[in-house]
Amino acid sequence: MFSASQSSKAQFLDKARQAREERRELKERERAAVQVQALIRRFLCRCRLQREIRREVEDFFGANESSSSKRSALSVFRIARKLLFVFNHKEDKERFEKLCRCILSSMDVENEPKVWYVSLALSKDLTLLWIKQIKDILWFCCEFLKQLKPDILQDSRLVNLHLTMLVTFTDTSTWKILRGKGETLRPAMNHICANIMGHLNQKGFYSVLQILLTNGLARSRPSLSKGSLTAVFSLALRPVVAAQFSDNLLRSFLIHIMSVPAIMTHLATLTPERLAVIESHDLFRKFILFLSREAQCRDVCVCLEGSHTLCLLGNLVYLGSLNDKVLEEETAHFVGVLIHMLSYCQKYVSQKKSNLTHWHPVLGWFSQTVDYGLNESMPLLTKQLQHLWGVHMIRILFSDVLSKKLLENQEIAQLPTQPVSPQNSLPMKNLFKRAFQKSASVRNILKPVGGKRVDSAEVQKVCSICVLYQTTLTTLTQIRLQILTGLTYLDDLLPKLWAFICELGPQGGLKLFLECLNNDTEESKRLLAMLMLFCDCSRHLITILDDIEVYEEQISFKLEELVTISSFLNSFVFKMIWDGIVENARGETLELFHSVHGWLMVLYERDCRRRFAPEDHWLRKDLKPSVLFQELDKDKKRAQLLLQYIPHVIPHKNRVLLFRNMVTKEKEKLGLVETSSASPHVTHITIRRSRMLEDGYEQLRQLSQNAMKGVIRVKFVNDLGVDEAGIDQDGVFKEFLEEIIKKVFDPALNLFKTTSGDERLYPSPTSYIHENYLQLFEFVGKMLGKAVYEGIVVDVPFASFFLSQLLGHHHSIFYSSVDELPSLDSEFYKNLTSIKRYDGDISDLGLTLSYDEDVMGQLVCHELVPGGKTIPVTNENKISYIHLMAHFRMHTQIKSQTAALISGFRSIIKPEWIRMFSAPELQRLISGDNAEIDLEDLKKHTVYYGGFHGSHRVIIWLWDILANDFSPEERAMFLKFVTSCSRPPLLGFAYLKPPFSIRCVEVSDDQDTGDTLGSVLRGFFTIRKKEPGGRLPTSSTCFNLLKLPNYSKKSILREKLRYAISMNTGFELS
């Protein structure tokens, strides 16, 4: 009973709670419905109002078009107020356009004060409302300008409209209300304009102008009209002038306007009057002085980042090229600003591609974000930057250096300086033409004299300018060659800069710069930057000048000066290495080393090709080879670096010894040397004399690298298939090697060709007719490498350009194919250089970027570039044509053959072993010394057999004939007769293997069975079986053996020996 009453109570309470919930939900729904209805009514009401207002606006503008200019300012103000109340960018674009046109037309009406829209500013009640309205209208104009594309015709009209609005209401000059009696109102109105301009600036006015200018100008052809550009620039300048060039507004102007790509160039082209305004306000000086404060310059650079900083730099350089007076007066500040800006960009210039870098057409790989929208304007930016290394600006900046007198003959007429236009600011095509005009002046040879204080203002100024150009070179990586070409255009800049360097410090030159290396001061860095710039520019100049210009016309530098400079560079690089500076060098010091070393090596290689320096000029007398060798044995870093960078400071003979030591050490390491405990592995091969090349190729090409370096024993099989008698103790292998090399280098085989003129060897371009020709070249490389490895000299004269490729010089960025071309074809070289010097229009010659060649009776056209046979050679591209042609003849045509031969050669000879030799020295390493044969040395290292001895009369006669009766040519023929090579070994006859020997013989070669006791005694005591006068001396070149009959008279010996060597009888005739 009790539980039932409890249950009913609970149900009652539950129902009551549910009823309350339902009532509450009902109230919520009612309230929500009311709220939704209110919102909808409000929305509909607003839409209705907006429609009504928009209809009213349209009615206002469309009521009577003919009388639109007579509408009162007040009515325009009211309708504008209504439009602004409901304004929507998308919907009201056309209405806003009509409003702007209406306002502007009201301003053009004559003598109707009530119509002038600006007249409302004079109304006490409406002034503030009018100011607010015009601010809103002008900002909406700015908003539209951000979105418009000037390259679209419709948009360009709207750009003009909105710009006209901004121009009209930010300056009082066009307001008719201020004419006559209204002039007294001008200060107040100017104040209103300043107020409006201040409001726009706060909202981001300069950003709007920047976007508009970038959209219109950052392209190959500008899409902004003259009027639009004039308006934008005038608008940008107004706040700056109004604020009397305050720092804040100068900063905004630099960041937003001066950083627009090539804006100054566009102003000069489209509206030069604006440049006159810039000059009248002395803006260039103000910009430079503002940026000369380091903190402000850094702030501007950080705001702009790399791409836009470079655009600002280009505009400043262009302005500088137009303002000589300011540039001369503010040189220090101008140079300082450019250094700061370039240094900022340089921090982000990267050497390689990575996930953090972006490609920039001027800076290269760049670790800041790159605005790719600016890429179209990069050619214009580059043209602006070219003014920095154009003749005009170089003359101004380097005036202190260029004012130096180098000429002894003061009567030489000064050439008038021509005005510099943007087209010839980088006169690449004229550089070469001018370079060929031989200088008639005579001047002192420049040598270090010293005497100028390094802390003087003049030196500091020149150092700063050198720092500027050096920073430019390391920052603008993609136009580095353009910069160097511009800096080397003036013939007298580099010699005068060298003269300036010669005067620095107490003694001048080397000592001062070595001291700078050890001082980590700002002054030292600047001095080293001067040296670095001099080296980079000089290296570039010498690289592009040919031999006629360097040796005969002596462009820029006299040969004696090159000797002085190379001596200085040689000492400087040596000291940097030997004093341990290079070991720990980083950053700028390492760049300096590579710069100085690069210039040094260009001079050294030029001297190797055609000598200008005296004998032993490159050697260091204070470096003892024994000390160097000891340090190399101990793996001292400085010794290794010396050998890597400047091996030429060590005498050639010592380098050859070092090379032989390296080979010997490797042989010991590989177990190729006979020891008491072990014998080296021997490879035996059998060769048929009738198929020597084929058998040698088949058997040796399969050998491993170490087996090729090891001992190879050869057994010959004659034409009858019978093994030839004899034991190979290096002699038979030497004969085999010599015979193989003689066959493969025979031009008749067409693996190699000879150059026209001096008949030197290089791979034949048509060698591809051979089956497996690349494997053959690799085999030839191995054979040549084996000969050098074993110290066997072979008489194979290579063309100089091919030796350079064997050394890997052609991979250097300073390598010039044209310089090496005479070693291939001197006549072809003359023809190409005549094209270079051709004064007329080269296109008249009908040349194209292709090369026609007669290949086995067929005319084959080789294109030097893709589509080259349709591209004519012109004055602009003729230098490229010459280099492409030289590169094709010496590299492209024989690229695969050369690569195969080098691959084979390097499998035996390590590249680092031969890098310590120049091209002529490598030829000597292969073919022996080209010096006069040292008979005393040969006599000292001769071995006698068959009864001969040093005091034997025939031997005495032989040495006397060689010394006194034979000419040097005949002595060379004698050496070739007995050793197969006309040149002596590089290190002397002590290194001839097997040693030179002379044997007394009684019978012909086919009857000779070797020495017997009887034959030895007869030879020793000069007892003859019969008179040998009818027989000739013979030789076994494989053993370096001369077989000499026991002649009775000296005259017979002379006659027979001369005949034998001239016929080169060897084995064939006795």
Side-chain angles (χ1 to χ4, degrees):
M1 181 73 181
F2 181 74
S3 61
S5 65
Q6 276 188 330
S7 174
S8 61
K9 184 181 178 182
Q11 286 175 357
F12 175 76
L13 290 171
D14 199 33
K15 283 179 183 178
R17 183 175 55 75
Q18 286 178 3
R20 278 198 309 275
E21 289 288 332
E22 286 173 5
R23 285 195 300 276
R24 189 167 66 248
E25 283 179 14
L26 184 63
K27 286 180 181 178
E28 280 292 322
R29 277 199 300 273
E30 287 175 353
R31 193 173 63 80
V34 170
Q35 196 169 358
V36 168
Q37 287 169 1
L39 283 170
I40 290 172
R41 280 198 303 272
R42 186 169 69 184
F43 173 73
L44 292 172
C45 184
R46 195 164 63 244
C47 288
R48 190 166 56 251
L49 178 63
Q50 287 175 349
R51 279 196 302 273
E52 288 172 1
I53 289 174
R54 287 190 173 105
R55 197 178 300 115
E56 188 182 345
V57 170
E58 284 172 2
D59 291 343
F60 178 83
F61 291 125
N64 187 359
E65 290 293 332
S66 61
S67 63
S68 61
S69 59
K70 299 295 184 182
R71 291 195 188 101
S72 70
L74 189 59
S75 64
V76 174
F77 171 76
R78 284 173 179 158
I79 205 72
R81 198 173 181 194
K82 288 180 180 180
L83 179 61
L84 295 177
F85 177 69
V86 297
F87 187 74
N88 178 282
H89 273 86
K90 286 184 180 178
E91 290 185 40
D92 298 313
K93 187 177 177 183
E94 289 184 17
R95 295 180 189 92
F96 185 76
E97 181 187 340
K98 288 176 181 177
L99 174 65
C100 292
R101 293 192 189 284
C102 180
I103 290 172
L104 289 173
S105 64
S106 77
M107 295 293 289
D108 290 334
V109 177
E110 294 289 341
N111 303 318
E112 294 278 358
K114 289 185 179 180
V115 175
W116 295 329
Y117 177 69
V118 78
S119 64
L120 298 174
L122 303 177
S123 168
K124 188 190 297 182
D125 298 330
L126 297 176
T127 302
L128 293 177
L129 291 173
W130 180 85
I131 291 172
K132 183 182 185 313
Q133 187 179 93
I134 195 63
K135 283 179 180 178
D136 290 342
I137 290 172
L138 293 182
W139 182 246
F140 285 138
C141 287
C142 292
E143 293 277 313
F144 279 117
L145 284 172
K146 279 200 284 188
Q147 298 164 10
L148 294 171
K149 305 293 181 191
D151 51 330
I152 300 170
L153 182 61
Q154 186 60 37
D155 280 12
S156 70
R157 289 173 181 160
L158 292 174
V159 165
N160 287 335
L161 173 66
H162 297 310
L163 284 175
T164 308
M165 280 293 292
L166 287 162
V167 168
T168 304
F169 292 102
T170 54
D171 185 74
T172 59
S173 57
T174 59
W175 294 3
K176 295 181 172 63
I177 198 170
L178 299 181
R179 291 179 185 170
K181 294 179 180 178
E183 190 64 40
T184 55
L185 300 171
R186 192 175 293 278
M189 292 301 176
N190 283 340
H191 186 71
I192 289 173
C193 284
N195 188 337
I196 294 167
M197 190 58 85
H199 171 76
L200 293 175
N201 280 340
Q202 284 179 350
K203 299 269 285 183
F205 181 57
Y206 275 114
S207 297
V208 172
L209 296 183
Q210 183 182 18
I211 292 167
L212 178 62
L213 286 168
T214 305
N215 288 339
L217 302 179
R219 50 186 62 244
S220 50
R221 293 182 63 186
S223 56
L224 277 180
S225 65
K226 175 181 178 179
S228 298
L229 184 57
T230 304
V232 175
F233 199 76
S234 300
L235 285 169
L237 211 51
R238 278 178 185 175
V240 182
V241 175
Q244 296 183 329
F245 309 100
S246 68
D247 284 356
N248 196 28
L249 281 159
L250 276 176
R251 175 183 180 277
S252 295
F253 193 88
L254 285 165
I255 290 172
H256 296 290
I257 307 302
M258 289 298 289
S259 67
V260 173
I263 186 173
M264 291 299 125
T265 302
H266 291 301
L267 285 176
T269 309
L270 295 173
T271 170
E273 309 83 39
R274 295 301 96 195
L275 289 179
V277 172
I278 290 173
E279 193 172 344
S280 68
H281 289 300
D282 204 11
L283 265 182
F284 175 59
R285 190 193 305 271
K286 290 179 172 65
F287 291 153
I288 294 303
L289 292 175
F290 174 81
L291 291 169
S292 64
R293 285 168 276 179
E294 193 173 336
Q296 291 175 177
C297 187
R298 192 187 307 112
D299 169 49
V300 168
C301 291
V302 169
C303 287
L304 289 174
E305 294 195 333
S307 297
H308 293 275
T309 299
L310 200 62
C311 296
L312 171 59
L313 186 78
N315 286 317
L316 289 174
V317 168
Y318 187 77
L319 268 183
S321 69
L322 302 176
N323 289 271
D324 291 0
K325 185 171 181 291
V326 177
L327 196 60
E328 287 167 10
E329 292 170 1
E330 303 293 345
T331 299
H333 288 135
F334 176 73
V335 169
V337 167
L338 296 196
I339 290 171
H340 278 134
M341 294 173 76
L342 285 165
S343 300
Y344 173 80
C345 292
Q346 190 185 41
K347 286 191 296 184
Y348 301 99
V349 172
S350 179
Q351 296 301 314
K352 57 187 177 181
K353 180 181 180 181
S354 74
N355 293 332
L356 300 173
T357 57
H358 308 269
W359 178 254
H360 190 282
V362 175
L363 300 165
W365 290 112
F366 199 64
S367 58
Q368 279 189 340
T369 51
V370 171
D371 186 347
Y372 291 107
L374 302 181
N375 280 7
E376 266 192 80
S377 59
M378 282 302 125
L380 278 175
L381 170 62
T382 306
K383 276 189 177 178
Q384 282 189 321
L385 291 170
Q386 283 171 0
H387 287 281
L388 182 57
W389 48 88
V391 173
H392 186 65
M393 198 167 284
I394 285 176
R395 285 194 190 281
I396 293 172
L397 296 182
F398 279 111
S399 57
D400 291 347
V401 173
L402 291 168
S403 62
K404 293 179 69 67
K405 296 284 185 192
L406 293 183
L407 301 182
E408 284 181 357
N409 184 0
Q410 298 298 329
E411 295 173 10
I412 302 299
Q414 297 251 330
L415 291 171
T417 58
Q418 296 180 346
V420 178
S421 65
Q423 285 75 28
N424 64 9
S425 61
L426 181 66
M428 179 72 180
K429 62 184 179 185
N430 295 329
L431 170 64
F432 300 100
K433 186 176 178 181
R434 290 187 66 259
F436 312 133
Q437 297 169 354
K438 191 168 182 179
S439 173
S441 61
V442 180
R443 71 158 191 255
N444 289 309
I445 302 308
L446 305 170
K447 294 182 179 179
V449 290
K452 188 168 282 187
R453 289 179 62 87
V454 294
D455 56 357
S456 66
E458 181 192 3
V459 173
Q460 291 301 309
K461 179 184 172 186
V462 174
C463 283
S464 294
I465 294 161
C466 290
V467 169
L468 167 62
Y469 283 110
Q470 195 55 44
T471 313
T472 308
L473 285 169
T474 51
T475 305
L476 312 181
T477 58
Q478 300 310 296
I479 52 173
R480 180 182 171 86
L481 290 179
Q482 281 188 33
I483 301 166
L484 288 169
T485 303
L487 288 168
T488 53
Y489 177 68
L490 284 176
D491 286 347
D492 56 344
L493 176 61
L494 290 174
K496 286 182 175 179
L497 189 58
W498 172 243
F500 192 83
I501 289 170
C502 288
E503 292 175 358
L504 295 177
Q507 285 88 33
L510 185 65
K511 189 176 179 185
L512 171 70
F513 288 106
L514 287 172
E515 286 172 0
C516 288
L517 284 172
N518 298 315
N519 297 335
D520 194 24
T521 62
E522 200 59 39
E523 186 181 88
S524 298
K525 286 179 183 176
R526 289 150 73 89
L527 283 167
L528 292 172
M530 182 195 297
L531 176 62
M532 197 168 165
L533 183 73
F534 171 74
C535 290
D536 285 343
C537 294
S538 304
R539 177 179 61 195
H540 178 74
L541 177 66
I542 294 296
T543 303
I544 61 175
L545 295 180
D546 59 35
D547 284 357
I548 294 171
E549 295 154 357
V550 172
Y551 292 92
E552 294 167 27
E553 296 173 357
Q554 298 187 26
I555 302 293
S556 283
F557 293 108
K558 305 297 178 190
L559 288 180
E560 295 87 345
E561 286 164 3
L562 291 181
V563 173
T564 309
I565 291 168
S566 59
S567 177
F568 164 78
L569 298 173
N570 207 34
S571 300
F572 189 78
V573 173
F574 173 74
K575 292 283 187 185
M576 280 193 81
I577 294 173
W578 205 244
D579 293 349
I581 295 168
V582 177
E583 286 178 46
N584 308 308
R586 295 284 182 278
E588 291 172 355
T589 308
L590 195 60
E591 285 175 16
L592 170 71
F593 173 75
H594 287 309
S595 179
V596 179
H597 175 258
W599 176 209
L600 170 67
M601 294 316 292
V602 165
L603 287 175
Y604 175 68
E605 282 160 21
R606 178 80 74 160
D607 185 63
C608 289
R609 202 165 56 247
R610 181 174 169 184
R611 187 165 284 282
F612 64 80
E615 201 72 33
D616 298 340
H617 170 74
W618 302 98
L619 301 180
R620 291 290 303 180
K621 302 291 191 294
D622 53 344
L623 175 65
K624 292 182 179 177
S626 57
V627 174
L628 178 71
F629 292 171
Q630 286 170 14
E631 295 209 1
L632 284 170
D633 289 338
K634 294 174 185 174
D635 288 332
K636 289 283 186 71
K637 187 70 177 173
R638 69 175 186 174
Q640 292 169 347
L641 289 170
L642 192 79
L643 206 59
Q644 179 185 343
Y645 287 109
I646 48 169
H648 58 255
V649 300
I650 311 160
H652 178 244
K653 187 174 180 180
N654 295 102
R655 276 180 280 144
V656 177
L657 270 172
L658 188 59
F659 171 76
R660 299 283 6 137
N661 287 344
M662 288 172 174
V663 172
T664 304
K665 281 181 182 176
E666 187 183 79
K667 283 185 174 183
E668 290 171 354
K669 187 178 176 182
L670 297 174
L672 303 177
V673 179
E674 186 93 38
T675 63
S676 56
S677 58
S679 294
H681 172 74
V682 177
T683 302
H684 294 275
I685 60 172
T686 303
I687 304 293
R688 291 171 291 179
R689 278 205 182 268
S690 58
R691 292 180 58 82
M692 191 179 291
L693 177 57
E694 293 85 347
D695 287 356
Y697 170 68
E698 284 300 327
Q699 294 186 52
L700 291 178
R701 75 186 181 93
Q702 298 170 1
L703 293 182
S704 67
Q705 188 173 314
N706 287 352
M708 273 298 294
K709 291 180 178 181
V711 179
I712 300 173
R713 296 283 181 235
V714 179
K715 180 168 275 298
F716 282 119
V717 176
N718 64 21
D719 293 345
L720 300 173
V722 179
D723 290 355
E724 292 184 5
I727 300 168
D728 184 2
Q729 293 295 332
D730 295 334
V732 180
F733 177 73
K734 177 176 180 283
E735 181 192 352
F736 162 72
L737 193 64
E738 288 167 350
E739 288 298 316
I740 284 279
I741 284 173
K742 191 186 295 182
K743 284 180 185 292
V744 295
F745 286 107
D746 184 355
L749 188 64
N750 196 36
L751 275 179
F752 287 84
K753 279 182 77 172
T754 55
T755 59
S756 59
D758 55 359
E759 296 193 344
R760 292 184 165 268
L761 293 159
Y762 69 97
S764 169
T766 55
S767 55
Y768 57 79
I769 60 171
H770 290 280
E771 190 180 355
N772 301 328
Y773 73 105
L774 293 180
Q775 288 91 328
L776 267 172
F777 272 103
E778 190 174 358
F779 171 69
V780 172
K782 287 180 179 178
M783 290 292 94
L784 190 64
K786 179 69 173 171
V788 175
Y789 195 76
E790 300 297 345
I792 299 170
V793 288
V794 287
D795 206 354
V796 185
F798 285 115
S800 172
F801 79 90
F802 179 69
L803 289 166
S804 292
Q805 293 185 40
L806 205 56
L807 289 166
H809 289 172
H810 60 298
H811 294 306
S812 166
I813 57 171
F814 309 114
Y815 179 79
S816 171
S817 301
V818 178
D819 289 341
E820 296 273 19
L821 190 57
S823 69
L824 171 67
D825 190 335
S826 56
E827 197 60 37
F828 187 69
Y829 172 74
K830 284 179 186 173
N831 293 339
L832 277 186
T833 49
S834 67
I835 290 172
K836 184 177 171 180
R837 289 170 165 74
Y838 188 71
D839 286 334
D841 187 353
I842 204 77
S843 57
D844 295 341
L845 302 181
L847 298 170
T848 61
L849 294 182
S850 61
Y851 173 61
D852 294 329
E853 183 186 24
D854 184 359
V855 180
M856 293 179 285
Q858 281 191 322
L859 193 66
V860 178
C861 177
H862 304 282
E863 292 189 329
L864 303 179
V865 294
K869 61 184 177 186
T870 61
I871 303 173
V873 177
T874 62
N875 287 348
E876 283 70 34
N877 67 8
K878 67 180 180 181
I879 300 300
S880 296
Y881 169 73
I882 291 164
H883 282 272
L884 286 167
M885 186 68 89
H887 184 77
F888 177 79
R889 287 289 308 274
M890 294 192 296
H891 299 276
T892 311
Q893 268 194 315
I894 56 171
K895 186 178 181 180
S896 53
Q897 293 94 321
T898 304
L901 187 142
I902 289 173
S903 171
F905 184 79
R906 288 182 177 176
S907 69
I908 309 295
I909 302 293
K910 292 181 181 177
E912 57 267 26
W913 289 353
I914 56 168
R915 279 201 195 112
M916 54 183 167
F917 301 108
S918 63
E921 289 170 342
L922 179 60
Q923 182 66 66
R924 288 165 67 188
L925 193 67
I926 294 167
S927 301
D929 208 332
N930 53 6
E932 179 70 31
I933 296 166
D934 187 346
L935 287 175
E936 288 302 317
D937 184 46
L938 180 59
K939 190 190 298 185
K940 183 179 174 183
H941 296 99
T942 301
V943 181
Y944 301 101
Y945 297 104
F948 277 162
H949 50 85
S951 302
H952 195 288
R953 67 175 189 174
V954 174
I955 300 302
I956 292 170
W957 289 344
L958 173 69
W959 294 120
D960 187 55
I961 289 165
L962 288 171
N964 300 315
D965 296 346
F966 277 18
S967 65
E969 291 76 19
E970 287 175 316
R971 284 194 284 274
M973 288 164 64
F974 169 77
L975 192 61
K976 187 175 178 69
F977 176 70
V978 293
T979 68
S980 80
C981 186
S982 60
R983 297 179 178 188
L986 272 179
L987 299 175
F989 289 101
Y991 287 82
L992 184 66
K993 291 183 181 179
F996 176 57
S997 45
I998 305 174
R999 181 164 158 250
C1000 179
V1001 292
E1002 298 179 322
V1003 292
S1004 60
D1005 279 357
D1006 54 353
Q1007 298 172 321
D1008 189 7
T1009 56
D1011 289 345
T1012 63
L1013 179 62
S1015 69
V1016 171
L1017 288 171
R1018 282 194 294 277
F1020 187 82
F1021 292 110
T1022 325
I1023 302 168
R1024 287 179 295 279
K1025 280 184 173 181
K1026 59 180 180 179
E1027 176 57 46
R1031 283 194 292 110
L1032 293 171
T1034 58
S1035 65
S1036 292
T1037 55
C1038 55
F1039 293 107
N1040 299 324
L1041 171 65
L1042 174 65
K1043 297 176 182 178
L1044 201 60
N1046 197 343
Y1047 294 114
S1048 59
K1049 290 183 180 177
K1050 181 180 178 182
S1051 58
I1052 296 173
L1053 170 61
R1054 180 169 53 243
E1055 178 193 339
K1056 298 294 182 185
L1057 186 61
R1058 184 169 272 149
Y1059 182 75
I1061 63 171
S1062 62
M1063 296 300 290
N1064 197 17
T1065 51
F1067 288 112
E1068 292 85 8
L1069 181 65
S1070 61

